[in-house]
Coordinates of all heavy atoms in Angstrom, one line a residue:
M1 N 102.3 99.3 109.8 CA 103.2 98.1 110.1 C 104.0 97.8 108.8 O 103.4 97.7 107.7 CB 102.4 97.0 110.5 CG 103.1 95.7 110.8 SD 103.2 95.4 112.5 CE 104.3 94.1 112.6
L2 N 105.3 97.6 108.9 CA 106.1 97.2 107.8 C 106.0 95.7 107.6 O 105.9 95.0 108.5 CB 107.5 97.6 108.0 CG 107.7 99.1 108.2 CD1 109.2 99.4 108.5 CD2 107.4 99.9 106.9
R3 N 105.9 95.3 106.3 CA 105.8 93.9 106.0 C 107.2 93.2 106.2 O 108.2 93.8 106.0 CB 105.2 93.6 104.7 CG 105.9 94.3 103.5 CD 105.2 93.8 102.2 NE 106.1 93.2 101.4 CZ 106.7 93.7 100.3 NH1 106.3 94.9 100.0 NH2 107.6 93.0 99.6
E4 N 107.2 92.0 106.6 CA 108.4 91.2 106.8 C 109.0 90.9 105.4 O 108.3 90.7 104.5 CB 108.0 89.9 107.5 CG 107.6 90.1 108.9 CD 108.8 90.3 109.8 OE1 109.9 89.8 109.6 OE2 108.7 91.0 110.8
G5 N 110.3 90.7 105.4 CA 111.0 90.2 104.3 C 111.2 91.1 103.1 O 111.4 90.6 102.0
I6 N 111.1 92.4 103.3 CA 111.3 93.3 102.2 C 112.8 93.2 101.8 O 113.7 93.1 102.6 CB 110.9 94.8 102.5 CG1 111.6 95.3 103.7 CG2 109.4 94.9 102.7 CD1 111.4 96.8 104.0
G7 N 113.0 93.2 100.5 CA 114.4 93.1 99.9 C 115.1 94.4 99.9 O 116.3 94.4 99.6
G8 N 114.5 95.5 100.1 CA 115.1 96.8 100.0 C 114.5 97.7 101.0 O 113.4 97.4 101.5
P9 N 115.1 98.9 101.2 CA 114.5 99.8 102.1 C 113.4 100.6 101.5 O 113.5 101.8 101.3 CB 115.7 100.7 102.5 CG 116.5 100.7 101.2 CD 116.4 99.3 100.6
V10 N 112.3 99.9 101.2 CA 111.1 100.5 100.6 C 110.5 101.6 101.4 O 110.3 101.4 102.6 CB 110.1 99.4 100.2 CG1 108.8 100.0 99.6 CG2 110.7 98.4 99.3
A11 N 110.2 102.7 100.8 CA 109.7 103.9 101.6 C 108.6 104.5 100.8 O 108.4 105.7 100.8 CB 110.8 104.9 101.9
I12 N 107.7 103.7 100.2 CA 106.5 104.2 99.5 C 105.3 103.4 100.0 O 105.5 102.4 100.8 CB 106.6 104.1 98.0 CG1 106.8 102.7 97.5 CG2 107.8 105.0 97.5 CD1 106.7 102.5 96.0
G13 N 104.1 103.7 99.5 CA 103.0 102.9 99.9 C 102.7 103.0 101.4 O 102.8 104.0 102.0
L14 N 102.6 101.8 102.0 CA 102.3 101.7 103.4 C 103.5 102.2 104.2 O 103.4 102.5 105.4 CB 102.0 100.3 103.8 CG 100.7 99.7 103.3 CD1 100.6 98.2 103.6 CD2 99.5 100.4 103.8
C15 N 104.7 102.2 103.6 CA 105.9 102.7 104.3 C 106.2 104.2 104.1 O 107.2 104.7 104.6 CB 107.1 101.8 103.9 SG 106.9 100.1 104.3
A16 N 105.4 104.9 103.3 CA 105.7 106.3 103.0 C 105.7 107.1 104.3 O 104.8 106.9 105.2 CB 104.6 106.8 102.0
G17 N 106.7 107.9 104.4 CA 106.8 108.7 105.6 C 107.3 108.0 106.8 O 107.4 108.5 107.9
K18 N 107.8 106.8 106.6 CA 108.3 105.9 107.7 C 109.7 105.4 107.4 O 110.1 104.3 107.6 CB 107.4 104.7 107.9 CG 106.0 105.1 108.3 CD 105.1 103.8 108.4 CE 103.7 104.2 108.7 NZ 102.8 103.0 108.8
R19 N 110.5 106.3 106.8 CA 111.9 106.0 106.4 C 112.7 105.4 107.5 O 113.4 104.3 107.3 CB 112.6 107.2 105.8 CG 114.0 106.8 105.3 CD 114.7 107.8 104.5 NE 113.9 108.1 103.3 CZ 113.9 107.4 102.2 NH1 114.5 106.3 102.1 NH2 113.2 107.8 101.1
D20 N 112.7 105.9 108.7 CA 113.4 105.4 109.8 C 113.0 104.0 110.2 O 113.8 103.1 110.4 CB 113.4 106.3 111.1 CG 114.1 107.6 110.8 OD1 114.9 107.7 109.9 OD2 113.8 108.5 111.6
E21 N 111.7 103.8 110.2 CA 111.1 102.4 110.5 C 111.5 101.4 109.4 O 111.8 100.3 109.7 CB 109.6 102.5 110.7 CG 109.0 101.3 111.2 CD 107.5 101.4 111.4 OE1 107.0 102.6 111.4 OE2 106.8 100.4 111.6
A22 N 111.3 101.9 108.2 CA 111.7 101.0 107.0 C 113.2 100.6 107.1 O 113.5 99.5 106.8 CB 111.3 101.7 105.7
F23 N 114.0 101.6 107.4 CA 115.5 101.4 107.4 C 115.8 100.4 108.5 O 116.5 99.4 108.3 CB 116.2 102.7 107.7 CG 117.7 102.4 107.7 CD1 118.5 102.4 106.6 CD2 118.3 102.2 109.0 CE1 119.8 102.1 106.6 CE2 119.7 102.0 109.0 CZ 120.5 102.0 107.9
A24 N 115.2 100.5 109.7 CA 115.4 99.6 110.8 C 115.0 98.2 110.5 O 115.8 97.2 110.8 CB 114.7 100.1 112.1
A25 N 113.9 98.0 109.8 CA 113.4 96.7 109.4 C 114.3 96.1 108.4 O 114.7 94.9 108.5 CB 112.0 96.7 108.9
W26 N 114.7 96.9 107.4 CA 115.7 96.5 106.4 C 117.0 96.1 107.0 O 117.6 95.0 106.6 CB 115.8 97.6 105.4 CG 116.8 97.4 104.3 CD1 116.7 96.6 103.2 CD2 118.1 98.1 104.2 NE1 117.9 96.7 102.4 CE2 118.7 97.6 103.0 CE3 118.7 99.0 105.0 CZ2 119.9 98.1 102.6 CZ3 119.9 99.5 104.6 CH2 120.6 99.0 103.5
H27 N 117.5 96.9 107.9 CA 118.8 96.6 108.5 C 118.8 95.4 109.3 O 119.7 94.5 109.3 CB 119.3 97.8 109.4 CG 120.5 97.6 110.1 ND1 121.7 97.3 109.5 CD2 120.8 97.6 111.4 CE1 122.7 97.1 110.4 NE2 122.1 97.3 111.6
A28 N 117.7 95.1 110.0 CA 117.6 93.9 110.8 C 117.6 92.7 109.9 O 118.3 91.7 110.2 CB 116.3 93.9 111.6
K29 N 116.9 92.7 108.8 CA 117.0 91.6 107.8 C 118.4 91.5 107.2 O 118.8 90.3 107.0 CB 115.9 91.8 106.7 CG 114.5 91.7 107.2 CD 114.3 90.2 107.6 CE 112.8 90.1 108.1 NZ 112.6 88.8 108.6
N30 N 119.0 92.6 106.9 CA 120.4 92.5 106.4 C 121.3 91.7 107.4 O 122.1 90.9 107.0 CB 121.0 93.9 106.1 CG 120.6 94.4 104.8 OD1 120.1 93.7 103.9 ND2 120.9 95.7 104.6
R31 N 121.2 92.1 108.7 CA 122.0 91.4 109.7 C 121.7 89.9 109.7 O 122.6 89.1 109.9 CB 121.8 92.1 111.1 CG 122.5 93.4 111.2 CD 122.5 93.9 112.7 NE 121.3 93.7 113.4 CZ 120.4 94.6 113.6 NH1 120.6 95.9 113.2 NH2 119.3 94.4 114.3
E32 N 120.5 89.6 109.6 CA 120.1 88.2 109.6 C 120.6 87.4 108.4 O 121.2 86.4 108.6 CB 118.5 88.1 109.6 CG 118.0 86.7 109.8 CD 116.4 86.8 109.8 OE1 115.8 87.7 110.3 OE2 115.9 85.8 109.2
V33 N 120.5 88.0 107.3 CA 121.0 87.4 106.0 C 122.5 87.3 106.0 O 123.1 86.3 105.6 CB 120.5 88.1 104.8 CG1 121.1 87.6 103.5 CG2 119.0 88.0 104.7
A34 N 123.2 88.3 106.6 CA 124.6 88.3 106.6 C 125.3 87.2 107.4 O 126.5 87.0 107.3 CB 125.1 89.7 107.0
T35 N 124.5 86.6 108.3 CA 125.0 85.5 109.1 C 125.4 84.3 108.3 O 126.1 83.4 108.7 CB 124.1 85.1 110.3 OG1 122.9 84.6 109.7 CG2 123.8 86.3 111.2
F36 N 124.8 84.2 107.1 CA 125.1 83.1 106.2 C 126.3 83.5 105.4 O 126.3 84.4 104.6 CB 123.9 82.8 105.3 CG 122.7 82.4 106.1 CD1 121.7 83.3 106.4 CD2 122.5 81.1 106.6 CE1 120.5 83.0 107.1 CE2 121.4 80.7 107.3 CZ 120.4 81.7 107.6
P37 N 127.4 82.7 105.5 CA 128.6 83.1 104.8 C 128.6 83.1 103.3 O 129.4 83.7 102.7 CB 129.7 82.1 105.3 CG 128.9 80.9 105.8 CD 127.5 81.5 106.2
N38 N 127.6 82.4 102.7 CA 127.6 82.4 101.2 C 126.7 83.4 100.6 O 126.2 83.3 99.5 CB 127.2 81.0 100.8 CG 125.8 80.6 101.2 OD1 125.3 81.2 102.2 ND2 125.1 79.7 100.5
T39 N 126.4 84.5 101.4 CA 125.5 85.5 100.9 C 126.3 86.8 100.6 O 127.3 87.1 101.2 CB 124.4 85.9 101.8 OG1 124.9 86.3 103.1 CG2 123.4 84.7 102.0
Y40 N 125.8 87.6 99.6 CA 126.5 88.8 99.2 C 125.4 89.9 99.1 O 124.2 89.6 99.0 CB 127.1 88.6 97.8 CG 128.3 87.7 97.9 CD1 128.1 86.3 97.9 CD2 129.6 88.1 97.9 CE1 129.1 85.4 98.0 CE2 130.7 87.2 97.9 CZ 130.4 85.9 98.0 OH 131.5 85.0 98.0
V41 N 125.8 91.1 99.1 CA 124.9 92.2 99.0 C 125.2 93.0 97.7 O 126.4 93.2 97.4 CB 124.8 93.1 100.2 CG1 126.2 93.9 100.4 CG2 123.7 94.1 100.2
K42 N 124.2 93.4 97.0 CA 124.4 94.2 95.8 C 124.0 95.6 96.1 O 123.0 95.9 96.6 CB 123.4 93.7 94.7 CG 123.4 94.5 93.4 CD 122.4 94.0 92.4 CE 121.0 94.3 92.8 NZ 120.4 95.6 92.3
L43 N 125.0 96.5 95.9 CA 124.8 97.9 96.2 C 124.4 98.7 95.0 O 125.2 98.9 94.1 CB 126.1 98.4 96.8 CG 126.6 97.7 98.1 CD1 128.0 98.1 98.4 CD2 125.6 98.1 99.3
G44 N 123.2 99.0 94.9 CA 122.7 99.8 93.8 C 121.2 99.9 93.8 O 120.6 99.3 94.7
G45 N 120.6 100.5 92.9 CA 119.2 100.6 92.8 C 118.5 101.7 93.7 O 117.3 101.7 93.8
L46 N 119.4 102.4 94.4 CA 118.8 103.4 95.3 C 118.1 104.6 94.6 O 117.4 105.3 95.3 CB 119.9 104.0 96.3 CG 120.4 102.9 97.3 CD1 121.7 103.5 98.0 CD2 119.3 102.6 98.3
G47 N 118.2 104.7 93.3 CA 117.5 105.7 92.6 C 116.1 105.3 92.2 O 115.4 106.2 91.7
M48 N 115.7 104.1 92.4 CA 114.4 103.6 92.0 C 113.4 104.4 92.9 O 113.6 104.6 94.0 CB 114.3 102.1 92.2 CG 115.1 101.3 91.3 SD 114.8 99.5 91.4 CE 115.2 99.2 93.1
E49 N 112.2 104.7 92.2 CA 111.2 105.4 92.9 C 110.7 104.7 94.2 O 110.3 105.3 95.1 CB 110.0 105.7 92.0 CG 110.3 106.7 90.9 CD 109.2 107.1 90.0 OE1 108.0 107.0 90.5 OE2 109.4 107.4 88.9
M50 N 110.7 103.3 94.2 CA 110.2 102.5 95.3 C 111.0 102.8 96.6 O 110.5 102.5 97.6 CB 110.2 101.1 94.9 CG 111.6 100.4 94.8 SD 111.5 98.7 94.5 CE 111.0 98.0 96.0
I51 N 112.2 103.3 96.5 CA 113.0 103.6 97.6 C 112.5 104.8 98.4 O 112.8 105.0 99.5 CB 114.5 103.7 97.3 CG1 115.0 102.4 96.5 CG2 115.4 103.9 98.5 CD1 114.8 101.1 97.3
G52 N 111.8 105.6 97.7 CA 111.1 106.7 98.3 C 111.8 108.1 98.3 O 111.4 109.0 98.9
F53 N 113.0 108.2 97.7 CA 113.6 109.5 97.6 C 112.9 110.2 96.5 O 112.3 109.7 95.6 CB 115.1 109.3 97.2 CG 116.0 108.7 98.3 CD1 116.5 107.5 98.1 CD2 116.2 109.3 99.5 CE1 117.3 106.9 99.1 CE2 116.9 108.8 100.5 CZ 117.5 107.5 100.3
D54 N 112.9 111.6 96.6 CA 112.0 112.4 95.7 C 112.8 113.1 94.6 O 112.4 114.0 94.1 CB 111.3 113.4 96.5 CG 112.2 114.4 97.2 OD1 113.4 114.2 97.2 OD2 111.6 115.4 97.9
F55 N 113.9 112.5 94.2 CA 114.8 113.1 93.2 C 114.0 113.3 91.9 O 114.2 114.3 91.2 CB 116.0 112.3 92.9 CG 116.9 112.0 94.0 CD1 117.2 110.7 94.4 CD2 117.4 113.1 94.8 CE1 118.1 110.5 95.5 CE2 118.2 112.8 95.9 CZ 118.6 111.5 96.2
F56 N 113.2 112.4 91.5 CA 112.4 112.4 90.3 C 111.4 113.5 90.2 O 110.9 113.9 89.2 CB 111.8 111.1 90.0 CG 110.7 110.6 90.9 CD1 109.4 110.9 90.7 CD2 111.1 110.0 92.1 CE1 108.4 110.5 91.6 CE2 110.2 109.6 93.0 CZ 108.8 109.9 92.8
E57 N 111.0 114.1 91.4 CA 110.0 115.1 91.5 C 110.5 116.5 91.3 O 109.8 117.5 91.2 CB 109.2 115.0 92.8 CG 108.4 113.7 93.0 CD 107.8 113.6 94.3 OE1 108.2 114.4 95.3 OE2 107.0 112.7 94.5
K58 N 111.9 116.6 91.3 CA 112.5 118.0 91.3 C 112.8 118.4 89.9 O 112.9 117.6 89.0 CB 113.8 117.9 92.1 CG 113.4 117.6 93.6 CD 114.6 117.7 94.5 CE 114.1 117.4 95.9 NZ 115.1 117.4 96.9
S59 N 112.8 119.7 89.7 CA 113.1 120.2 88.3 C 114.5 120.0 87.8 O 114.7 119.9 86.6 CB 112.7 121.7 88.3 OG 113.6 122.4 89.2
E60 N 115.4 119.9 88.7 CA 116.8 119.7 88.4 C 117.3 118.3 88.9 O 116.9 117.9 90.0 CB 117.7 120.8 89.0 CG 117.5 122.1 88.4 CD 117.9 122.3 86.9 OE1 119.0 121.7 86.6 OE2 117.2 122.9 86.2
P61 N 118.1 117.6 88.2 CA 118.6 116.3 88.7 C 119.5 116.6 90.0 O 120.1 117.6 90.1 CB 119.4 115.7 87.6 CG 119.7 116.8 86.7 CD 118.6 117.9 86.9
P62 N 119.6 115.6 90.8 CA 120.4 115.8 92.0 C 121.9 115.8 91.7 O 122.3 115.2 90.7 CB 120.1 114.5 92.9 CG 119.7 113.5 91.9 CD 119.0 114.3 90.8
S63 N 122.7 116.4 92.5 CA 124.1 116.4 92.3 C 124.7 115.2 92.9 O 124.0 114.4 93.7 CB 124.8 117.6 93.0 OG 124.6 117.5 94.4
S64 N 125.9 114.9 92.6 CA 126.6 113.7 93.3 C 126.6 113.9 94.8 O 126.4 112.9 95.5 CB 128.0 113.6 92.8 OG 128.0 113.3 91.4
Q65 N 126.7 115.1 95.3 CA 126.7 115.4 96.7 C 125.3 115.1 97.3 O 125.2 114.5 98.4 CB 127.1 116.8 97.0 CG 128.6 117.1 96.7 CD 128.9 117.4 95.2 OE1 127.9 117.6 94.4 NE2 130.1 117.4 94.9
D66 N 124.3 115.4 96.6 CA 122.9 115.1 97.0 C 122.7 113.6 97.2 O 122.2 113.1 98.1 CB 121.9 115.6 96.1 CG 121.8 117.2 96.0 OD1 122.2 117.8 97.0 OD2 121.4 117.7 94.9
L67 N 123.2 112.9 96.1 CA 123.0 111.4 96.2 C 123.8 110.8 97.3 O 123.3 109.9 98.0 CB 123.5 110.8 94.8 CG 122.6 111.2 93.6 CD1 123.2 110.6 92.3 CD2 121.2 110.8 93.8
E68 N 125.0 111.3 97.5 CA 125.9 110.8 98.5 C 125.3 111.0 99.9 O 125.2 110.1 100.7 CB 127.3 111.4 98.5 CG 128.3 111.0 99.5 CD 128.2 111.8 100.8 OE1 127.8 112.9 100.8 OE2 128.5 111.2 101.9
K69 N 124.7 112.2 100.1 CA 124.1 112.5 101.4 C 122.9 111.6 101.7 O 122.8 111.1 102.8 CB 123.6 114.0 101.3 CG 122.9 114.5 102.6 CD 122.5 115.9 102.4 CE 121.1 116.2 102.8 NZ 120.0 115.6 102.3
D70 N 122.1 111.3 100.7 CA 120.9 110.4 101.0 C 121.3 108.9 101.0 O 120.6 108.1 101.6 CB 119.8 110.7 99.9 CG 119.1 112.0 100.2 OD1 119.2 112.5 101.3 OD2 118.4 112.5 99.3
W71 N 122.3 108.5 100.2 CA 122.6 107.1 100.1 C 123.6 106.6 101.0 O 123.8 105.4 101.2 CB 123.0 106.8 98.7 CG 122.0 107.0 97.6 CD1 120.7 107.4 97.8 CD2 122.2 106.9 96.2 NE1 120.1 107.5 96.5 CE2 121.0 107.2 95.6 CE3 123.3 106.6 95.4 CZ2 120.8 107.2 94.2 CZ3 123.2 106.6 94.0 CH2 121.9 106.8 93.4
R72 N 124.5 107.5 101.6 CA 125.6 107.1 102.4 C 125.2 106.0 103.5 O 125.8 105.0 103.7 CB 126.2 108.3 103.1 CG 127.4 107.9 104.0 CD 127.9 109.1 104.8 NE 128.8 109.9 103.9 CZ 130.1 109.7 103.8 NH1 130.7 108.7 104.5 NH2 130.8 110.4 103.0
L73 N 124.1 106.3 104.2 CA 123.7 105.5 105.3 C 123.5 104.0 104.8 O 123.9 103.1 105.5 CB 122.5 106.0 106.0 CG 121.9 105.2 107.1 CD1 122.8 105.1 108.3 CD2 120.5 105.8 107.6
Y74 N 122.8 103.9 103.7 CA 122.5 102.6 103.1 C 123.7 101.8 102.7 O 123.9 100.7 103.0 CB 121.5 102.7 102.0 CG 120.2 103.4 102.5 CD1 120.0 104.7 102.5 CD2 119.2 102.6 103.0 CE1 118.8 105.3 102.9 CE2 118.0 103.1 103.4 CZ 117.8 104.5 103.4 OH 116.7 105.1 103.9
V75 N 124.6 102.5 101.9 CA 125.8 101.9 101.4 C 126.7 101.5 102.5 O 127.2 100.4 102.6 CB 126.5 102.8 100.4 CG1 127.8 102.2 99.9 CG2 125.6 103.0 99.1
E76 N 127.0 102.4 103.4 CA 127.9 102.1 104.5 C 127.3 101.0 105.4 O 128.1 100.2 105.9 CB 128.2 103.4 105.4 CG 129.1 104.3 104.6 CD 129.5 105.6 105.4 OE1 128.8 105.8 106.5 OE2 130.4 106.3 105.0
N77 N 126.0 101.0 105.6 CA 125.4 100.0 106.4 C 125.6 98.6 105.8 O 126.0 97.6 106.5 CB 123.9 100.2 106.6 CG 123.2 99.1 107.3 OD1 122.8 98.2 106.7 ND2 123.1 99.3 108.6
C78 N 125.4 98.5 104.5 CA 125.6 97.2 103.8 C 127.1 96.7 103.9 O 127.4 95.6 104.2 CB 125.2 97.3 102.3 SG 123.5 97.3 102.1
I79 N 128.0 97.6 103.7 CA 129.4 97.3 103.7 C 129.8 96.9 105.1 O 130.5 95.9 105.3 CB 130.3 98.4 103.2 CG1 130.0 98.6 101.7 CG2 131.8 98.1 103.4 CD1 130.7 99.9 101.1
A80 N 129.3 97.6 106.1 CA 129.6 97.2 107.5 C 129.0 95.9 107.9 O 129.6 95.1 108.7 CB 129.1 98.3 108.5
T81 N 127.8 95.6 107.4 CA 127.1 94.4 107.7 C 127.7 93.1 107.0 O 127.9 92.1 107.7 CB 125.6 94.5 107.4 OG1 125.1 95.6 108.2 CG2 124.8 93.3 107.8
F82 N 127.9 93.3 105.7 CA 128.4 92.1 105.0 C 129.9 92.1 104.8 O 130.5 91.0 104.5 CB 127.8 92.1 103.6 CG 126.3 91.7 103.6 CD1 125.3 92.6 103.8 CD2 126.0 90.4 103.3 CE1 124.0 92.2 103.8 CE2 124.7 90.0 103.3 CZ 123.7 90.9 103.6
G83 N 130.6 93.2 105.0 CA 132.0 93.3 104.8 C 132.3 93.6 103.4 O 131.5 93.3 102.5
P84 N 133.4 94.3 103.1 CA 133.7 94.7 101.8 C 133.9 93.5 100.8 O 133.6 93.6 99.6 CB 135.0 95.5 101.9 CG 135.6 95.2 103.2 CD 134.4 94.7 104.1
Q85 N 134.3 92.4 101.3 CA 134.5 91.2 100.5 C 133.2 90.6 100.0 O 133.2 89.8 99.1 CB 135.4 90.1 101.2 CG 134.7 89.5 102.4 CD 134.7 90.3 103.7 OE1 135.1 91.5 103.7 NE2 134.3 89.7 104.8
R86 N 132.1 90.9 100.6 CA 130.8 90.4 100.2 C 129.9 91.5 99.7 O 128.7 91.3 99.7 CB 130.2 89.6 101.3 CG 131.0 88.3 101.7 CD 130.2 87.4 102.6 NE 129.8 88.0 103.8 CZ 128.8 87.6 104.6 NH1 128.0 86.7 104.2 NH2 128.5 88.2 105.7
S87 N 130.4 92.6 99.4 CA 129.6 93.8 98.9 C 130.0 94.0 97.4 O 131.2 94.2 97.1 CB 129.9 95.0 99.7 OG 129.6 94.8 101.1
M88 N 129.0 94.1 96.6 CA 129.2 94.3 95.1 C 128.5 95.6 94.7 O 127.3 95.7 94.9 CB 128.7 93.1 94.3 CG 129.3 91.8 94.7 SD 128.5 90.4 93.9 CE 126.9 90.4 94.6
F89 N 129.2 96.5 94.1 CA 128.6 97.6 93.5 C 128.1 97.3 92.1 O 128.7 96.5 91.4 CB 129.6 98.8 93.4 CG 129.8 99.5 94.7 CD1 130.9 99.1 95.5 CD2 128.9 100.5 95.1 CE1 131.1 99.8 96.7 CE2 129.1 101.1 96.4 CZ 130.2 100.7 97.2
E90 N 127.0 97.9 91.7 CA 126.4 97.6 90.4 C 125.8 98.9 89.8 O 125.6 99.9 90.5 CB 125.4 96.5 90.4 CG 124.2 96.8 91.4 CD 123.1 97.6 90.8 OE1 122.9 97.7 89.6 OE2 122.2 98.1 91.5
S91 N 125.6 98.9 88.5 CA 124.9 100.0 87.9 C 123.5 99.6 87.6 O 123.2 98.5 87.0 CB 125.6 100.4 86.6 OG 124.8 101.3 85.9
N92 N 122.6 100.4 88.0 CA 121.1 100.2 87.7 C 120.7 101.3 86.8 O 119.6 101.9 86.9 CB 120.3 100.3 89.1 CG 119.1 99.5 89.0 OD1 119.0 98.4 88.4 ND2 118.1 99.9 89.8
F93 N 121.6 101.6 85.8 CA 121.5 102.8 85.0 C 120.2 103.0 84.3 O 119.5 104.0 84.4 CB 122.6 102.9 84.0 CG 122.6 104.1 83.1 CD1 122.8 105.4 83.7 CD2 122.2 104.0 81.8 CE1 122.7 106.5 82.9 CE2 122.1 105.1 81.0 CZ 122.4 106.3 81.5
L94 N 119.7 102.0 83.6 CA 118.5 102.2 82.8 C 117.3 102.6 83.7 O 116.5 103.4 83.4 CB 118.2 101.0 81.9 CG 119.2 100.8 80.8 CD1 118.8 99.6 80.0 CD2 119.2 102.0 79.9
V95 N 117.2 101.9 84.8 CA 116.1 102.2 85.8 C 116.3 103.5 86.5 O 115.4 104.3 86.6 CB 115.9 101.0 86.8 CG1 114.8 101.3 87.8 CG2 115.6 99.7 86.1
D96 N 117.5 103.7 87.0 CA 117.8 104.9 87.8 C 117.9 106.2 86.9 O 117.8 107.3 87.4 CB 119.1 104.7 88.5 CG 119.0 103.7 89.7 OD1 117.8 103.4 90.1 OD2 120.0 103.3 90.2
K97 N 118.1 106.0 85.6 CA 118.2 107.2 84.7 C 117.1 108.2 84.9 O 117.2 109.4 84.7 CB 118.4 106.8 83.3 CG 118.7 107.9 82.4 CD 119.0 107.5 81.0 CE 119.3 108.7 80.2 NZ 119.1 108.6 78.8
G98 N 115.9 107.7 85.2 CA 114.7 108.5 85.3 C 114.8 109.4 86.6 O 114.0 110.4 86.8
T99 N 115.7 109.1 87.5 CA 115.9 109.8 88.7 C 117.1 110.8 88.8 O 117.0 111.8 89.4 CB 116.0 108.8 89.9 OG1 114.9 107.9 89.8 CG2 116.0 109.5 91.2
Y100 N 118.1 110.4 88.1 CA 119.3 111.2 88.1 C 120.1 110.9 86.9 O 120.0 109.9 86.2 CB 120.2 111.0 89.4 CG 120.6 109.5 89.6 CD1 121.8 109.1 89.1 CD2 119.9 108.7 90.3 CE1 122.2 107.7 89.2 CE2 120.2 107.3 90.5 CZ 121.4 106.9 90.0 OH 121.8 105.6 90.2
S101 N 121.0 111.9 86.6 CA 121.8 111.7 85.3 C 123.0 110.9 85.5 O 123.4 110.6 86.6 CB 122.2 113.1 84.8 OG 123.1 113.8 85.8

C-alpha cells in the first residue's frame, strides 16, 4: 500500500516495483493540489535515487534521450495538471550529479 501524501513519485522501499501505482497516487495528489490557484509545481529532482530510476547503478551515465524517455511522463503530467504558467523548471544538480552528468 502506498502512503498518502507523498510529495514525489517515490518508487523505492515499500513502493519498489510499483512504479505505476506510485505514479497514479502521485498524479491524484497533483490534481488535488492543482485545484488551489496559488500553488505551483517544481519540475526537477527526477534524478534522485528515491524516485527509483536505476541510472546510478549503470556503468555509463544515461544519455539525454534516456532521461527524456523516463522523465517525459512526469514532466508532461505536471505541466498538463498545473499549466505552464504554474510550472517551474529547476536544477537539482548537486544531488542529481550522482545519477547523470
Side-chain angles (χ1 to χ4, degrees):
M1 175 111 188
L2 298 175
R3 54 178 241 256
E4 289 283 329
I6 57 177
V10 176
I12 62 170
L14 295 175
C15 298
K18 300 177 182 176
R19 181 167 300 283
D20 291 341
E21 187 179 347
F23 180 85
W26 173 76
H27 176 57
K29 289 295 180 185
N30 275 349
R31 284 194 315 258
E32 185 180 324
V33 170
T35 64
F36 299 99
N38 63 335
T39 58
Y40 294 76
V41 65
K42 175 184 74 93
L43 301 165
L46 290 169
M48 295 186 300
E49 289 183 29
M50 69 178 287
I51 304 301
F53 293 113
D54 63 355
F55 301 127
F56 64 94
E57 295 175 347
K58 298 186 177 177
S59 61
E60 294 291 321
S63 68
S64 296
Q65 292 80 12
D66 294 332
L67 296 174
E68 180 273 333
K69 180 179 133 302
D70 284 346
W71 295 356
R72 176 184 284 269
L73 179 63
Y74 298 90
V75 173
E76 286 183 346
N77 176 273
C78 286
I79 294 170
T81 302
F82 285 86
Q85 68 281 6
R86 295 193 298 153
S87 299
M88 302 176 291
F89 283 96
E90 58 87 16
S91 171
N92 208 32
F93 178 69
L94 291 177
V95 176
D96 290 344
K97 186 178 182 201
T99 303
Y100 57 90
S101 62

